[in-house]
Amino acid sequence: MDLIQRPRRLRQNLNIRRMTRETLVHPSKFLLPIFVTEGSGVKTPNKNLEISYTFSVDSLLKYLEEIKSLNLPGVLLFGVSSKRDALGSEALNRESPVCRAISEIRERFPNLIVGTDVALDPYTDHGHDGLFEDGRILNDETVDVLAQMACLHAQMGAQMVAPSDMMDGRVLAIRKALDKMGSADTLILAYTAKYASAYYGPFRDTLGAEVFGDKRTYQMDPSNRREAKRELALDTSEGADIVMVKPATLYLDVISDFRANSSVPVAAYHVSGECALIEAGVKAGVCERKPAVMEAMTSIFRAGADIVATYYAVEIAKWLEA
Ligand code: PBG
């Protein structure tokens, strides 16, 4: 055959493939979600998410010391609490495990980005991310509390706050409240397109969150792609520094829309259920673990993500180092 175009020429050996690879996966692009709870000496693997643990503050600091050499850029802290009430009051307690973890991490690991989840679901007895009254989630009242929560985290030393609640107007309210307090440098990582997904199960089990009803009046309908662009325009105009899509691998179209339509960095959250599915597949002999995980991550970056939050961050960093 007298072929001029032979795409296989670029695939013939490892170095040619490496040199022409379009998407690079690097440890500096990962955030590690971490769960913090009361007590001491606690390091419990999470149910259906065994690669991730729930820590007391002391154990968390030990763990961060163990993984320090991997040089991950940052963590996302989530509270796991037995203190739940209708208003999620624990969210504003400066003695909470999350608040103590923020300041301790800040002191011991000054270069690690401490990002914090801003939402009420770890602390409400109804399991919702916001205030709940007569079967409705109250938007504006919730936003007030979230802004206070974000300010508290910033005061404790968080460099990045991550509202995951999907209330309208919360990015602007948080930005104004932070600036008023003199925290103009605190980043906002906005969960901009967060879908009402079936893949949050292990996360909710970890929080011990029984959700009264569902979250569909605030999280997005998985059918909607254009609506994500609307959320993107809103969050960037409200001052989001980084915009996030969640879940990740089932929403690659949304990630690629974000990349095309936004001038701020795009993050994606590879959620607990996506992780659990891979683990189940490996156990069932359907796929091999490392290539399956790396293919998922590569796909998320290829679609246009700059940053990925994943429970696999530590392992990926180890694989890439080896
Ligand atoms: C809620 C929140 C959820 C996750 C992160 N923040 C679950 C939910 O919306 O019920 C899910 C993350 C995961 O599944 O890994 N504030």
Side-chain angles (χ1 to χ4, degrees), residues 78 117 119 121 129 164 194 199-200 203-204 215 219 246 269 271-272 311:
F78 292 90
D117 183 58
D121 56 316
D129 293 25
S164 66
K194 174 171 176 179
Y199 292 84
Y200 302 150
F203 177 97
R204 288 185 190 167
K215 299 192 175 184
Q219 299 181 349
K246 173 183 175 185
Y269 198 138
V271 302
S272 58
Y311 304 97

Side-chain angles (χ1 to χ4, degrees), residues 233-249:
L234 283 170
D235 280 6
T236 44
S237 73
E238 290 180 24
D241 298 286
I242 303 173
V243 289
M244 189 150 74
V245 176
K246 173 183 175 185
T249 48

Side-chain angles (χ1 to χ4, degrees), residues 32-285:
L32 176 66
I34 284 188
F35 300 93
V36 203
T37 195
E38 290 106 9
S40 65
V42 180
K43 182 182 177 184
T44 316
N46 297 319
K47 189 183 147 213
N48 291 325
L49 193 63
E50 280 83 9
I51 61 164
S52 159
Y53 304 87
T54 295
F55 296 98
S56 51
V57 177
D58 58 329
S59 308
L60 171 58
L61 295 170
K62 264 190 219 149
Y63 181 72
L64 293 178
E65 195 59 55
E66 280 164 33
I67 63 167
K68 190 176 174 182
S69 65
L70 296 172
N71 212 9
L72 288 169
V75 294
L76 281 178
L77 294 183
F78 292 90
V80 174
S81 183
S82 56
K83 297 180 185 160
R84 288 177 177 273
D85 61 25
L87 302 177
S89 319
E90 178 72 359
L92 300 181
N93 174 11
R94 54 178 58 240
E95 301 291 322
S96 72
V98 166
C99 285
R100 285 188 293 114
I102 299 168
S103 60
E104 296 264 357
I105 297 172
R106 227 5 207 172
E107 204 170 297
R108 304 247 204 126
F109 306 94
N111 296 323
L112 189 70
I113 301 166
V114 181
T116 60
D117 183 58
V118 175
L120 300 182
D121 56 316
Y123 309 117
T124 53
D125 53 15
H126 43 71
H128 281 292
D129 293 25
L131 301 172
F132 187 60
E133 203 177 273
D134 300 331
R136 288 175 54 242
I137 300 295
L138 306 176
N139 192 86
D140 302 11
E141 292 82 349
T142 299
V143 169
D144 282 345
V145 182
L146 296 175
Q148 292 175 51
M149 188 179 182
C151 286
L152 175 59
H153 292 175
Q155 282 167 15
M156 304 309 291
Q159 295 107 317
M160 185 164 82
V161 291
S164 66
D165 55 289
M166 290 303 280
M167 295 302 119
D168 294 331
R170 91 280 206 216
V171 173
L172 182 63
I174 290 172
R175 181 74 275 154
K176 282 188 174 164
L178 288 170
D179 291 358
K180 195 169 159 202
M181 198 179 70
S183 295
D185 285 339
T186 307
L187 302 173
I188 300 178
L189 163 61
Y191 287 66
T192 296
K194 174 171 176 179
Y195 287 89
S197 169
Y199 292 84
Y200 302 150
F203 177 97
R204 288 185 190 167
D205 285 346
T206 297
L207 258 60
E210 288 237 12
V211 183
F212 188 87
D214 61 49
K215 299 192 175 184
R216 285 181 228 195
T217 68
Y218 44 110
Q219 299 181 349
M220 286 178 57
D221 186 326
S223 314
N224 295 356
R225 180 171 177 176
R226 268 182 294 143
E227 189 188 3
K229 288 198 204 169
R230 183 182 192 199
E231 290 284 5
L232 174 65
L234 283 170
D235 280 6
T236 44
S237 73
E238 290 180 24
D241 298 286
I242 303 173
V243 289
M244 189 150 74
V245 176
K246 173 183 175 185
T249 48
L250 297 163
Y251 295 84
L252 298 178
D253 53 338
V254 179
I255 295 172
S256 104
D257 283 353
F258 272 37
R259 175 60 162 252
N261 292 285
S262 132
S263 47
V264 300
V266 176
Y269 198 138
H270 187 255
V271 302
S272 58
E274 295 178 279
C275 180
L277 273 192
I278 294 179
E279 295 302 310
V282 171
K283 243 184 222 154

